[in-house]
Structure formats: C-alpha cells, structure tokens
Amino acid sequence: MIKYFKSTENENTTRIAAFEKGCWVDMINPSDDEVEDVCALTGVAEEMIKAALDEEETARVERDDGNFLCLLDTPTITDTEDGDTYETIPMAIIYNENCIITVSLRGNPVLGDFVSSRVDIDTARPVLFILEFMMGNAKRFLSNLRQIDKKSHRVQAELHRSMKNRELIQLLALENSLVYFSTALNSNIKVYNKFERVPEVVGNEDYRDVFDDVVIETRQAMEMCNIYRDILSGTMDAYASVISNNVNIVMKLLTAITMIISIPTLIASLWGMNVGVPFGDTAGGFWIVLGISVVITGIVAMFIVRATNSIRIKTPRQIKRKRRRGD
C-alpha cells in the first residue's frame, strides 16, 4: 500500500493523490510492482526500499548516489490468543532531493501521528523528519516498556494467588520481549552515533538540540529495559525455586507416607503366608497382630516426623548466634 503526503504552509500534513517533488511517500508492506513504481518515480534503488521488508534486517545508516537510508528498529504489538506480544520490526526512512520515503511491514503509530498532524513535520526538511521520527520512536519504546512492566506486575499478582503454567508462560513471553527491545535499542544507538556525523546535523544547532533529546530518551529507554529485564529474570528464577521447593515438599510427604504404609503391608504379607505363624491358632490372633502393626507403624511415623523436623537448613545468622551461645 502506498500513500502520498505533503506538508502545507500552516504545517499540516495533507494527503495528495499522486507523487510530487518534496512529498512523503509512505509504503506499508508494498508489492513488487509498487516498489518498481516508486523506484521509477523517485530514483531510489530497489535494494534500499526492500531493506525494511526483511524482519531480520539490522539497523544501519547508508548513503548511495544521493540517496540516504536510515534503518531503525521500531516496537510493535501483536494480538495473539495468549494476549499482546511485544516485538520489533525494521523501519526504513529514505530521502533524496526529490522526496522522503518510509517503508515498513506494518503501520507505525509514530507515522500515524505525522499523518494526523499531532506532530508537526515538514516534508521539505528530511533530516528534521528523521529526527522527529527518532524522538517518537524512543517515546514509543518507553510507552511499551511501561505497559510491559504493568502487565508483569499483574501476572505476578495472579501467580501469588495460584501457580499456573499460563502465567509463567506470559512472564517468559514478556522477558523475551524485553530481550528484543534491548537488542533493538542498542542497534538504534549505534545508528545515532553515525547519524550524529551527518553534515546537516553537525551544522544546524536546532537539529543538534533535537538529536541530543533523542539520545537522552533512547538511553532512558535502554536503562528501563535493562532494569525491567533484570527484575523479570530474577522473578522467573524465584518462581522456579518456589516450584522446585514445592515439588520437594510433596515428594518428601509422599516418601514418608510410603514408608509408613509399608510397615502394615509387610506385617500383613508375613502373616498371610500359608505356613504356621505366631498367634495363628489363637482366638484373638487377628487383633493381636493388628495391634502390633499399629504400634510399630506409630513408632516409625513418630521417628520419621522427628527426623524430618530435625533436618533444617540453618542461615548464616543462626549459625553465628549458635556459636555465640557456645552450643
């Protein structure tokens, strides 16, 4: 899909019917025919336009034959059966003396703000266009990171009430999203370091101020992402330890029950053999054997309970306190 836009004198962005010099060409998941048409109109190489159509393409800055390419990673939200999934996709901004071209696989909310004139842009000033997009993209990362943090707290609250696999899978998906965001932000920072040396940015103080704000916002997003990722990673490790501990408690209980039940089972097996056994000819032999079984089972159960309670892990503080008492 291709749309053409151009900024007017009152700084509003309006859609135009066809290509004009100094316009903005917005391409969303274009077909091969659409790519060829835009290449013919703008003089941009086909490889530049198709760079953003590869989801694995890395962020970079490239200049070739008067065409400037700035490829950035942008956050995106995908609706799935298990809820929202946070990912990143490449976004290409290409400009030359004729126009500005944006290429992506999906619609971008930042460009949506440009179209609705919520953000003032000038299609005749491509460097400022890129800087405004960088700023909006950094703010979008920050917004999505806050959403991930809120969702993480909500899932953890549900896990406190009942431990379920679904919530654990959601936490794992959020942790994966933070890894994607961290990688994307690091790649964008590398692009900014190269974009900083662009002559238009170096020679324009206003552009430089906007660029500094972009770097600050992006670094803040990187710090937030790293903090949230470390917290979520620690949370996942803690829940893994809790699950392992619960399994150990259940296994200990089952082992104790098995050992206790094995005593009357053994006695019943011995007295059930087709040979002469004690109390076999006694009228109350059954009750005597049953009493013996109950007594032995009770003694074994008491021993197991005491042994279990005596095996406890002592903390370093408890060990120091015991040494001070001289025990």
Side-chain angles (χ1 to χ4, degrees):
M1 182 174 64
I2 303 176
K3 295 179 181 179
Y4 301 96
F5 300 93
K6 196 170 185 179
S7 57
T8 59
E9 294 180 357
N10 56 359
E11 296 184 347
N12 289 329
T13 304
T14 57
R15 184 173 178 178
I16 56 179
F19 175 82
E20 296 180 9
K21 187 172 182 179
C23 72
W24 161 31
V25 183
D26 184 25
M27 307 178 67
I28 300 176
N29 194 18
S31 63
D32 291 339
D33 293 337
E34 291 174 335
V35 172
E36 291 178 1
D37 292 341
V38 172
C39 290
L41 290 171
T42 62
V44 176
E46 185 175 337
E47 292 76 13
M48 277 192 173
I49 295 178
K50 289 188 175 181
L53 302 181
D54 182 4
E55 292 186 355
E56 304 300 327
E57 193 73 23
T58 58
R60 68 179 187 273
V61 172
E62 182 180 326
R63 190 186 293 270
D64 183 31
D65 294 335
N67 299 317
F68 184 87
L69 166 67
C70 181
L71 189 66
L72 298 171
D73 288 324
T74 62
T76 181
I77 303 176
T78 305
D79 293 330
T80 62
E81 295 180 355
D82 297 327
D84 294 336
T85 302
Y86 298 86
E87 300 173 335
T88 59
I89 59 173
M91 172 79 190
I93 304 177
I94 309 166
Y95 74 86
N96 55 19
E97 60 181 7
N98 296 321
C99 64
I100 301 172
I101 304 174
T102 57
V103 189
S104 63
L105 290 170
R106 307 177 195 172
N108 191 285
V110 179
L111 296 182
D113 293 339
F114 291 178
V115 173
S116 61
S117 297
R118 284 194 291 266
V119 177
D120 295 332
I121 60 170
D122 187 353
T123 55
R125 302 167 69 185
V127 175
L128 181 60
F129 183 98
I130 295 177
L131 289 173
E132 291 291 350
F133 178 82
M134 288 179 175
M135 176 62 73
N137 193 47
K139 291 181 178 179
R140 183 62 55 177
F141 268 111
L142 289 171
S143 176
N144 287 354
L145 285 170
R146 294 188 185 97
Q147 293 178 18
I148 290 175
D149 185 49
K150 291 180 180 178
K151 188 174 181 179
S152 173
H153 286 300
R154 185 170 62 253
V155 174
Q156 290 179 43
E158 294 175 0
L159 275 174
H160 282 302
R161 290 192 295 268
S162 61
M163 192 76 67
K164 295 180 181 178
N165 291 335
R166 180 180 178 182
E167 282 74 18
L168 291 173
I169 293 173
Q170 288 178 353
L171 285 181
L172 180 61
L174 292 177
E175 188 177 13
N176 292 338
S177 298
L178 291 174
V179 173
Y180 295 145
F181 277 19
S182 178
T183 304
L185 288 168
N186 284 325
S187 299
N188 287 349
I189 283 291
K190 294 179 181 178
V191 171
Y192 298 162
N193 292 336
K194 295 181 179 179
F195 194 79
E196 183 180 13
R197 297 190 291 270
V198 172
E200 293 86 348
V201 177
V202 175
N204 192 310
E205 186 176 352
D206 294 335
Y207 287 178
R208 185 71 191 185
D209 292 339
V210 177
F211 178 79
D212 291 340
D213 293 338
V214 169
V215 173
I216 291 173
E217 292 289 330
T218 304
R219 292 194 183 279
Q220 181 182 354
M222 288 180 60
E223 291 177 2
M224 288 179 59
C225 184
N226 292 333
I227 291 172
Y228 291 159
R229 186 179 61 180
D230 292 342
I231 292 174
L232 198 54
S233 178
T235 302
M236 291 291 291
D237 292 340
Y239 279 117
S241 299
V242 170
I243 293 172
S244 178
N245 188 46
N246 291 339
V247 171
N248 292 336
I249 293 174
V250 172
M251 292 303 298
K252 182 174 67 174
L253 177 62
L254 292 176
T255 302
I257 293 174
T258 302
M259 293 178 63
I260 293 172
I261 292 178
S262 65
I263 302 301
T265 303
L266 176 62
I267 295 175
S269 300
L270 292 174
W271 259 263
M273 294 188 297
N274 295 325
V275 295
V277 293
F279 313 112
D281 298 328
T282 307
F286 171 78
W287 299 108
I288 294 173
V289 173
L290 182 61
I292 294 173
S293 175
V294 170
V295 171
I296 296 176
T297 302
I299 293 172
V300 172
M302 187 180 301
F303 174 78
I304 291 175
V305 170
R306 288 184 177 179
T308 303
N309 292 335
S310 63
I311 301 175
R312 292 183 179 179
I313 299 175
K314 296 181 179 180
T315 63
R317 183 177 297 179
Q318 291 174 335
I319 295 174
K320 288 182 179 179
R321 192 177 301 170
K322 185 175 181 180
R323 290 177 178 175
R324 290 174 183 173
R325 290 199 304 262
D327 296 339

